[in-house]
Amino acid sequence: MWDALAGGLAARGLDVAFALDAVAFDAACAPVAPALTLSSILPGARGALVVGSSGRAFFDAFSRSAGARDGAPDPFDRYTRVVVVEAARAALAPLGVAHALRFPFMRAAGDDAGDAPVPFQRLGRAVGLAATSPLGLQIHPAHGAWWAYRALVVVDAELPPTPRLADGCAGCPAPCVDACPAGAVRLVADGGFDIPACHARRRTAEPCHLSCAARLACIRAPERRYSDEQLAFHMRASMPRR
């Protein structure tokens, strides 16, 4: 099942995956969403696969899709939903494994899960990722700052446990701190990422509007770096409204 599910997702550019059992999932959610348990998403659930994408492959595939050019809202989220739904069904239906899906973006009518948002970063912490970084992101030991959570696949079967991940910032001299022209990137010990300072700079000055000098300065996994187009797309989508 792992080979079919994780392999099918990776073939579509969703190449980051780690597994949690019900005990680990429930414990991760309890401090912020005590009513959210694995069984509340899928009765009889025994495992959850946290899914992400790294580098350029998933975005490049999205860029070639019809939805990227149809003018409808939230094209990337819509594409993500379609890909995950199709990949999970293709992998699990032949095996008779029931599943349910959750996404980190806003739900749309017809989703097969309840209303409580999934605390994806806490699920990452459950397998070893640091809670945050000077950039305000969870830095992955293999993918650096160039990855993101995309989905959660809950199944009524056990998944092999994921070896604990390392802290992606461990031993780093933090060049991201000095690279930020807004002074928004700070060591966690000094208060961490300053969101208001970042937003103020992004509203008024280039290149912060559609790029991020601090993120580009991260020394972890530079080979996974997003393309300029990809980085601009995500920066534009996250631009704070006035």
Side-chain angles (χ1 to χ4, degrees), residues 26-228:
D26 295 355
C29 295
V32 294
L36 180 62
T37 64
L38 211 60
S39 62
S40 73
I41 298 174
L42 177 70
R46 298 160 62 193
L49 188 72
V50 181
V51 179
S53 64
S54 74
R56 304 182 180 190
F58 189 65
F59 182 83
D60 288 350
F62 156 72
S63 298
R64 295 189 295 269
S65 70
R69 300 177 296 277
D70 64 10
D74 304 317
F76 191 74
D77 292 347
R78 289 187 286 114
Y79 175 80
T80 300
R81 188 188 306 275
V82 168
V83 170
V84 174
V85 167
E86 291 180 350
R89 182 183 298 122
L92 299 175
L95 302 176
V97 176
H99 70 280
L101 304 175
R102 287 283 189 98
F103 299 91
F105 44 83
M106 185 177 294
R107 294 179 62 240
D111 269 4
D112 55 1
D115 293 323
V118 174
F120 277 85
Q121 289 198 346
R122 292 193 65 88
L123 301 183
R125 290 170 63 181
V127 295
L129 292 177
T132 187
S133 70
L135 287 168
L137 308 169
Q138 284 182 308
I139 305 301
H140 194 285
H143 307 298
W146 308 110
W147 75 290
Y149 294 105
R150 301 298 179 204
L152 177 76
V153 184
V154 179
V155 295
D156 66 346
E158 292 184 0
L159 291 169
T162 298
R164 286 190 66 80
L165 301 173
D167 178 356
C169 287
C172 178
C176 56
V177 173
D178 290 337
C180 178
V185 179
R186 304 171 183 171
L187 295 175
V188 175
D190 296 330
F193 188 69
D194 185 338
I195 295 175
C198 174
H199 285 185
R201 173 84 183 193
R202 290 181 64 193
R203 289 190 179 103
T204 60
E206 297 291 350
C208 299
H209 184 68
L210 295 178
S211 188
C212 179
R215 193 170 183 177
L216 292 170
C218 181
I219 65 172
R220 193 72 67 200
E223 73 280 1
R224 307 302 295 161
R225 180 195 184 284
Y226 291 170
S227 66
D228 291 343

